[in-house]
Amino acid sequence: MKIKLTVNGLLYERECAEHRTLLRFLREDLGLTGTKEGCGMGECGACTVILNGHAVNSCMVLAAEIDGATIRTIEGEANGPSLSDIQLAFEKNNAVQCGFCTPGMVMSVKELLAENAKPSADEVKEAIEGNFCRCTGYTQIVEAVMDLTGRPEEKGELDHV
Amino acid sequence: MPMLYEFRYLAPKSVAELTATLREHASDGKILAGGTDLIPNIRNGLQKPGFVIDIKKYDGADRISYGADGLSMGPAVTINDLLRFKDARDRYPVLCSCAHELASHQIRNRATVAGNVVNASPCSDMAPALLCLDAQAVLRSGNGERVIPFSSFFTGVKKTVLQPGEFLERILVPAASAGVTGRYLKLKRIAGHDLGIVGVLMTKRDGEIRFGVSSAAPTPVLVDTVTTKDSPDEAAAKVLASVSPISDVRGTKEYREHMIGVYARRLLAEVR
Ligand SMILES: Cc1cc2nc3c(=O)[nH]c(=O)nc-3n(C[C@H](O)[C@H](O)[C@H](O)COP(=O)(O)OP(=O)(O)OC[C@H]3O[C@@H](n4cnc5c(N)ncnc54)[C@H](O)[C@@H]3O)c2cc1C
Ligand code: FES
Ligand code: FES
């Protein structure tokens, strides 16, 4: 079937199999490989994109069911060589190590900040609860967001994760 | 990397078209709501539908409303739609605290309340609240509508009263249950998102106590025999008499029984 999607402000139209996931559509049909596949089944959040304003796991969404939707991915963050504010905050606070989880993390944080400009550390932790990072730990990531939003006094780690 | 198994995608645009499609594909079709159970199951080869029937595309499928009959949720209402609905937050705090415990934020943006109960997992986080709040399932097929209380909706592990060709059109939480208070304690392996090892909800309305327990039996369990006169130990004994947990990857039978007792005592002690 024909799928039309607006991704990072550009309209794409492609022929697409009905069983194809949004994740594969983005990576393989549009060549937007910034969005990662970790588990492929909802556990890890590496595939997080923003669908019509809300963060979702693109590995569990079919391209067919969102024909006409508006998507934001990590490729929409930087403007040429200039990183976005969230990316800069991650870089400054050492919230990136291997970087595999980062595209998903940034998308989860982006949805949070669109709804809640000054989240508490707990609200940040909740927003990234579905994003696994196996490198940095979560402290630097939470600090990056607190630094960006001007509330760096609250620190903290996700207990037991 | 396994390729997603191939199927056809159908998106009926009206309830009549949906019931006709469900009848036509009663044996080879599967309803798609948020897809957070169905898509991983297809990927893992646990389900192989020939047709995936999207239930979200008819007018009104995503309607959530509050009125004289109470709270009504269509089959496309997501967990986060519920949490963003002010009448639900104000009037059904118990339903919202259970919803808030379900999976991760991303999943709550897609997962539907209806999909959660139709999936009928013993560890469903919505079932304890729907049971304690006397919620009802409005089921529809080409033959018409029937209304089933959730207390008789679940028939076994991943089994419900839904017949082939039938779908869950609405979940109704009665107005009489507005204002019921309570607390849901969910034990998980990690602080982040995880299916429960056990979940114990206690609700209170006009002095009446109820427990809803998940991950403790083949179906979610409602316990309405506890009273405020019971000691915490008596309450725990009554709750434990109604459950039959098993050992699995998330915990042993003994650990589950122990923690159900701990939670039942703790919750009752809070209201006594
Ligand atoms: C990583 C992960 C973590 C999770 N954590 C939790 C958790 O903590 N707690 C919890 O309870 N669940 C959890 N789940 C399970 C799942 O997210 C929920 O059960 C969710 O509510 C399912 O809703 P859905 O809309 O995505 O269902 P779908 O996957 O779309 O559908 C589920 C099943 O119900 C059928 N169906 C859906 N809607 C209808 C309808 N209206 N009428 C008839 N049949 C229908 C489908 O055919 C399918 O068989 C988790 C899942 C994942 C992947
Ligand atoms: S790849 Fe989608 S959640 Fe892991
Ligand atoms: S930076 Fe490597 S997984 Fe997060």
Side-chain angles (χ1 to χ4, degrees):
Chain A
M1 67 186 286
K2 255 217 169 31
I3 302 285
K4 264 195 213 170
L5 281 187
T6 303
V7 185
N8 304 325
L10 294 177
L11 182 66
Y12 295 86
E13 194 171 335
R14 291 285 189 283
E15 200 52 50
C16 168
E18 292 174 21
H19 63 273
R20 205 156 182 74
T21 60
L22 172 60
L23 175 61
R24 284 185 180 271
F25 184 77
L26 290 170
R27 290 180 55 86
E28 294 170 15
D29 295 341
L30 302 188
L32 297 172
T33 54
T35 305
K36 303 302 181 204
E37 174 163 21
C39 63
M41 38 209 258
E43 299 280 350
C44 75
C47 66
T48 304
V49 301
I50 299 180
L51 162 64
N52 296 332
H54 295 300
V56 302
N57 305 94
S58 63
C59 67
M60 296 193 296
V61 176
L62 300 177
E65 56 176 322
I66 56 156
D67 187 26
T70 301
I71 309 283
R72 300 287 306 183
T73 68
I74 191 69
E75 284 89 350
E77 282 300 286
N79 185 1
S82 320
L83 297 182
S84 72
D85 291 348
I86 299 174
Q87 287 173 314
L88 285 171
F90 270 55
E91 189 190 28
K92 179 178 157 210
N93 289 279
N94 303 311
V96 180
Q97 214 173 97
C98 79
F100 196 83
C101 69
T102 312
M105 286 285 180
V106 170
M107 289 299 116
S108 289
V109 169
K110 194 178 173 78
E111 186 205 6
L112 171 71
L113 298 186
E115 288 179 358
N116 181 355
K118 272 197 181 288
S120 66
D122 281 342
E123 287 168 333
V124 176
K125 288 176 192 173
E126 188 181 314
I128 60 167
E129 172 187 38
N131 295 84
F132 289 174
C133 176
R134 301 288 82 159
C135 298
T136 66
Y138 298 90
T139 309
Q140 294 90 327
I141 296 170
V142 175
E143 281 172 4
V145 183
M146 303 316 285
D147 185 20
L148 175 63
T149 56
R151 298 253 298 268
E153 71 280 7
E154 287 189 68
K155 295 190 177 181
E157 189 139 17
L158 276 180
D159 296 335
H160 318 305
V161 170
Chain B
M1 199 61 66
M3 283 300 292
L4 201 54
Y5 162 85
E6 292 190 19
F7 50 76
R8 296 299 310 274
Y9 168 86
L10 303 173
K13 295 292 186 298
S14 67
V15 171
E17 203 188 315
L18 174 62
T19 52
T21 309
L22 290 175
R23 176 176 299 181
E24 191 183 340
H25 295 292
S27 59
D28 61 352
K30 262 290 171 190
I31 289 177
L32 171 74
T36 64
D37 281 310
L38 183 64
I39 307 272
N41 282 347
I42 292 176
R43 186 188 160 101
N44 291 334
L46 298 174
Q47 288 179 316
K48 297 179 184 297
F51 294 83
V52 162
I53 304 161
D54 194 341
I55 199 168
K56 303 185 293 296
K57 303 292 175 171
Y58 72 82
D59 235 11
D62 62 353
R63 188 167 302 139
I64 178 166
S65 62
Y66 177 78
D69 292 342
L71 179 70
S72 164
M73 294 177 274
V77 170
T78 66
I79 302 292
N80 273 347
D81 289 340
L82 169 68
L83 290 172
R84 290 188 191 102
F85 189 58
K86 191 170 182 309
D87 277 313
R89 289 200 310 274
D90 292 349
R91 299 170 201 271
Y92 300 96
V94 168
L95 192 64
C96 292
S97 17
C98 289
H100 196 248
E101 283 297 323
L102 188 145
S104 64
H105 181 73
Q106 290 99 311
I107 291 181
R108 292 192 289 272
N109 274 336
R110 286 301 281 178
T112 63
V113 183
N116 186 251
V117 290
V118 174
N119 194 47
S121 161
C123 60
S124 158
D125 282 316
M126 297 311 293
L130 293 169
L131 285 169
C132 287
L133 298 177
D134 293 324
Q136 295 178 315
V138 181
L139 312 184
R140 179 170 297 282
S141 72
N143 302 328
E145 169 187 295
R146 52 187 187 129
V147 182
I148 307 284
F150 276 100
S151 51
S152 32
F153 180 77
F154 303 104
T155 55
V157 177
K158 306 238 160 189
K159 289 201 178 70
T160 71
V161 296
L162 274 167
Q163 295 296 311
E166 200 172 35
F167 74 102
L168 172 53
E169 188 183 33
R170 253 175 331 132
I171 293 175
L172 282 176
V173 193
S177 298
V180 170
T181 55
R183 196 145 98 91
Y184 184 50
L185 297 177
K186 177 177 172 183
L187 181 68
K188 298 180 286 187
R189 292 168 297 185
I190 57 169
H193 73 101
D194 194 18
L195 296 169
I197 300 171
V198 292
V200 182
L201 169 70
M202 193 190 80
T203 61
K204 198 177 158 216
R205 72 167 91 191
D206 313 325
E208 188 210 351
I209 298 286
R210 283 182 174 188
F211 283 90
V213 194
S214 58
S215 308
T219 62
V221 176
L222 173 66
V223 184
D224 55 8
T225 49
V226 177
T227 72
T228 43
K229 295 200 181 65
D230 288 331
S231 70
D233 281 340
E234 286 165 336
K238 285 182 180 175
V239 173
L240 282 167
S242 317
V243 299
S244 51
I246 56 164
S247 296
D248 67 10
V249 287
R250 287 196 299 280
T252 61
K253 173 182 188 298
E254 291 75 14
Y255 183 42
R256 288 196 156 102
E257 281 172 348
H258 178 73
M259 289 309 295
I260 292 166
V262 168
Y263 282 171
R265 280 191 287 274
R266 188 179 299 169
L267 288 167
L268 195 80
E270 282 175 8
V271 297
R272 282 179 93 241

